[in-house]
Tab-separated table of all heavy atoms in Angstrom:
chain	number	residue	atom	x	y	z
A	206	LEU	N	-10.522	-6.710	-13.125
A	206	LEU	CA	-9.082	-6.867	-13.223
A	206	LEU	C	-8.460	-5.486	-13.152
A	206	LEU	O	-8.889	-4.574	-13.853
A	206	LEU	CB	-8.684	-7.529	-14.543
A	206	LEU	CG	-9.312	-8.886	-14.877
A	206	LEU	CD1	-8.829	-9.357	-16.246
A	206	LEU	CD2	-8.959	-9.912	-13.814
A	207	VAL	N	-7.463	-5.343	-12.320
A	207	VAL	CA	-6.812	-4.056	-12.138
A	207	VAL	C	-5.317	-4.220	-12.348
A	207	VAL	O	-4.669	-4.978	-11.620
A	207	VAL	CB	-7.093	-3.463	-10.750
A	207	VAL	CG1	-6.375	-2.126	-10.595
A	207	VAL	CG2	-8.589	-3.286	-10.547
A	208	GLU	N	-4.786	-3.494	-13.327
A	208	GLU	CA	-3.357	-3.520	-13.606
A	208	GLU	C	-2.657	-2.388	-12.874
A	208	GLU	O	-3.238	-1.334	-12.632
A	208	GLU	CB	-3.075	-3.379	-15.107
A	208	GLU	CG	-3.740	-4.427	-15.979
A	208	GLU	CD	-4.999	-3.923	-16.636
A	208	GLU	OE1	-5.675	-3.039	-16.065
A	208	GLU	OE2	-5.316	-4.418	-17.744
A	209	SER	N	-1.399	-2.606	-12.585
A	209	SER	CA	-0.584	-1.566	-11.992
A	209	SER	C	0.866	-1.791	-12.389
A	209	SER	O	1.242	-2.889	-12.810
A	209	SER	CB	-0.719	-1.539	-10.466
A	209	SER	OG	-0.282	-2.760	-9.894
A	210	GLY	N	1.671	-0.762	-12.262
A	210	GLY	CA	3.095	-0.880	-12.496
A	210	GLY	C	3.622	-0.197	-13.735
A	210	GLY	O	4.842	-0.153	-13.936
A	211	GLY	N	2.748	0.330	-14.570
A	211	GLY	CA	3.206	1.013	-15.761
A	211	GLY	C	3.922	2.307	-15.429
A	211	GLY	O	3.836	2.817	-14.313
A	212	GLY	N	4.630	2.825	-16.420
A	212	GLY	CA	5.348	4.063	-16.218
A	212	GLY	C	6.331	4.326	-17.325
A	212	GLY	O	6.292	3.695	-18.380
A	213	LEU	N	7.218	5.267	-17.082
A	213	LEU	CA	8.236	5.677	-18.037
A	213	LEU	C	9.586	5.120	-17.613
A	213	LEU	O	10.011	5.322	-16.471
A	213	LEU	CB	8.301	7.201	-18.113
A	213	LEU	CG	9.414	7.808	-18.961
A	213	LEU	CD1	9.235	7.446	-20.425
A	213	LEU	CD2	9.444	9.315	-18.772
A	214	VAL	N	10.242	4.427	-18.537
A	214	VAL	CA	11.572	3.885	-18.273
A	214	VAL	C	12.466	4.140	-19.478
A	214	VAL	O	11.989	4.313	-20.594
A	214	VAL	CB	11.548	2.379	-17.955
A	214	VAL	CG1	10.781	2.108	-16.672
A	214	VAL	CG2	10.946	1.604	-19.113
A	215	GLN	N	13.766	4.136	-19.243
A	215	GLN	CA	14.722	4.303	-20.325
A	215	GLN	C	14.990	2.973	-21.015
A	215	GLN	O	14.819	1.909	-20.416
A	215	GLN	CB	16.029	4.881	-19.791
A	215	GLN	CG	15.908	6.296	-19.285
A	215	GLN	CD	17.242	6.889	-18.910
A	215	GLN	OE1	18.159	6.180	-18.515
A	215	GLN	NE2	17.357	8.198	-19.037
A	216	PRO	N	15.400	3.017	-22.278
A	216	PRO	CA	15.777	1.770	-22.948
A	216	PRO	C	16.813	1.002	-22.137
A	216	PRO	O	17.751	1.583	-21.587
A	216	PRO	CB	16.351	2.250	-24.278
A	216	PRO	CG	15.662	3.554	-24.521
A	216	PRO	CD	15.510	4.180	-23.158
A	217	GLY	N	16.619	-0.306	-22.074
A	217	GLY	CA	17.488	-1.150	-21.280
A	217	GLY	C	17.036	-1.318	-19.848
A	217	GLY	O	17.575	-2.175	-19.126
A	218	GLY	N	16.068	-0.552	-19.440
A	218	GLY	CA	15.573	-0.621	-18.082
A	218	GLY	C	14.587	-1.746	-17.872
A	218	GLY	O	14.275	-2.519	-18.781
A	219	SER	N	14.072	-1.817	-16.658
A	219	SER	CA	13.143	-2.867	-16.270
A	219	SER	C	11.899	-2.280	-15.636
A	219	SER	O	11.922	-1.186	-15.070
A	219	SER	CB	13.801	-3.830	-15.275
A	219	SER	OG	14.907	-4.496	-15.847
A	220	LEU	N	10.834	-3.039	-15.717
A	220	LEU	CA	9.568	-2.632	-15.136
A	220	LEU	C	8.758	-3.883	-14.835
A	220	LEU	O	8.807	-4.851	-15.602
A	220	LEU	CB	8.809	-1.738	-16.109
A	220	LEU	CG	7.730	-0.794	-15.567
A	220	LEU	CD1	8.331	0.211	-14.594
A	220	LEU	CD2	7.044	-0.077	-16.718
A	221	GLY	N	8.029	-3.864	-13.741
A	221	GLY	CA	7.174	-4.978	-13.387
A	221	GLY	C	5.715	-4.569	-13.356
A	221	GLY	O	5.364	-3.538	-12.780
A	222	LEU	N	4.870	-5.367	-13.975
A	222	LEU	CA	3.437	-5.118	-14.006
A	222	LEU	C	2.714	-6.154	-13.161
A	222	LEU	O	3.131	-7.312	-13.084
A	222	LEU	CB	2.894	-5.182	-15.430
A	222	LEU	CG	3.534	-4.281	-16.478
A	222	LEU	CD1	2.825	-4.463	-17.814
A	222	LEU	CD2	3.498	-2.829	-16.040
A	223	SER	N	1.621	-5.735	-12.558
A	223	SER	CA	0.788	-6.628	-11.766
A	223	SER	C	-0.652	-6.528	-12.230
A	223	SER	O	-1.108	-5.467	-12.662
A	223	SER	CB	0.859	-6.270	-10.280
A	223	SER	OG	2.163	-6.404	-9.774
A	224	CYS	N	-1.362	-7.631	-12.127
A	224	CYS	CA	-2.781	-7.670	-12.431
A	224	CYS	C	-3.469	-8.465	-11.341
A	224	CYS	O	-3.155	-9.645	-11.140
A	224	CYS	CB	-3.040	-8.305	-13.792
A	224	CYS	SG	-4.787	-8.606	-14.149
A	225	ALA	N	-4.392	-7.840	-10.660
A	225	ALA	CA	-5.137	-8.484	-9.592
A	225	ALA	C	-6.599	-8.615	-9.980
A	225	ALA	O	-7.222	-7.637	-10.405
A	225	ALA	CB	-5.005	-7.687	-8.293
A	226	ALA	N	-7.138	-9.806	-9.829
A	226	ALA	CA	-8.534	-10.076	-10.139
A	226	ALA	C	-9.346	-10.167	-8.855
A	226	ALA	O	-8.880	-10.687	-7.838
A	226	ALA	CB	-8.674	-11.369	-10.926
A	227	SER	N	-10.556	-9.666	-8.916
A	227	SER	CA	-11.449	-9.735	-7.771
A	227	SER	C	-12.877	-9.931	-8.259
A	227	SER	O	-13.182	-9.742	-9.430
A	227	SER	CB	-11.355	-8.469	-6.918
A	227	SER	OG	-11.787	-7.330	-7.652
A	228	GLY	N	-13.755	-10.322	-7.340
A	228	GLY	CA	-15.168	-10.416	-7.650
A	228	GLY	C	-15.646	-11.767	-8.144
A	228	GLY	O	-16.784	-11.883	-8.601
A	229	THR	N	-14.804	-12.781	-8.046
A	229	THR	CA	-15.211	-14.108	-8.478
A	229	THR	C	-14.549	-15.173	-7.620
A	229	THR	O	-13.431	-14.994	-7.147
A	229	THR	CB	-14.879	-14.352	-9.959
A	229	THR	OG1	-15.330	-15.659	-10.327
A	229	THR	CG2	-13.378	-14.262	-10.196
A	230	MET	N	-15.264	-16.264	-7.431
A	230	MET	CA	-14.702	-17.417	-6.754
A	230	MET	C	-14.080	-18.394	-7.745
A	230	MET	O	-13.394	-19.331	-7.350
A	230	MET	CB	-15.788	-18.149	-5.949
A	230	MET	CG	-16.340	-17.362	-4.768
A	230	MET	SD	-15.131	-17.155	-3.428
A	230	MET	CE	-14.515	-15.507	-3.779
A	231	GLU	N	-14.345	-18.171	-9.022
A	231	GLU	CA	-13.796	-19.036	-10.054
A	231	GLU	C	-12.303	-18.829	-10.194
A	231	GLU	O	-11.795	-17.709	-10.057
A	231	GLU	CB	-14.450	-18.758	-11.405
A	231	GLU	CG	-15.896	-19.137	-11.506
A	231	GLU	CD	-16.423	-18.902	-12.908
A	231	GLU	OE1	-16.665	-17.733	-13.264
A	231	GLU	OE2	-16.567	-19.894	-13.647
A	232	LYS	N	-11.620	-19.894	-10.487
A	232	LYS	CA	-10.223	-19.813	-10.867
A	232	LYS	C	-10.149	-19.695	-12.382
A	232	LYS	O	-10.804	-20.426	-13.105
A	232	LYS	CB	-9.456	-21.045	-10.400
A	232	LYS	CG	-9.341	-21.171	-8.884
A	232	LYS	CD	-8.572	-20.017	-8.280
A	232	LYS	CE	-8.307	-20.231	-6.795
A	232	LYS	NZ	-9.552	-20.229	-5.995
A	233	PHE	N	-9.366	-18.747	-12.833
A	233	PHE	CA	-9.209	-18.561	-14.268
A	233	PHE	C	-8.324	-19.651	-14.847
A	233	PHE	O	-7.313	-20.024	-14.251
A	233	PHE	CB	-8.622	-17.190	-14.564
A	233	PHE	CG	-9.475	-16.058	-14.084
A	233	PHE	CD1	-9.059	-15.259	-13.030
A	233	PHE	CD2	-10.693	-15.798	-14.682
A	233	PHE	CE1	-9.847	-14.213	-12.586
A	233	PHE	CE2	-11.496	-14.754	-14.238
A	233	PHE	CZ	-11.068	-13.960	-13.186
A	234	VAL	N	-8.723	-20.158	-16.006
A	234	VAL	CA	-7.943	-21.208	-16.641
A	234	VAL	C	-6.751	-20.644	-17.400
A	234	VAL	O	-5.779	-21.351	-17.650
A	234	VAL	CB	-8.813	-22.067	-17.576
A	234	VAL	CG1	-9.919	-22.751	-16.772
A	234	VAL	CG2	-9.415	-21.229	-18.693
A	235	LEU	N	-6.836	-19.388	-17.767
A	235	LEU	CA	-5.767	-18.754	-18.523
A	235	LEU	C	-5.763	-17.269	-18.225
A	235	LEU	O	-6.814	-16.632	-18.218
A	235	LEU	CB	-5.961	-18.990	-20.021
A	235	LEU	CG	-4.869	-18.505	-20.959
A	235	LEU	CD1	-3.613	-19.345	-20.787
A	235	LEU	CD2	-5.352	-18.565	-22.395
């Protein structure tokens, strides 16, 4: 699992995070 999108933001700001999974054919239940 690889996360991306973190960083420094000011209060009231917005940020989007992503998590991509690889290496399995299984679908995660949660």
Side-chain angles (χ1 to χ4, degrees):
L206 304 178
V207 179
E208 303 100 331
S209 62
L213 174 65
V214 296
Q215 293 186 331
S219 297
L220 202 62
L222 305 182
S223 298
C224 172
S227 64
T229 181
M230 293 291 98
E231 292 184 284
K232 293 297 187 294
F233 299 111
V234 299
L235 185 69

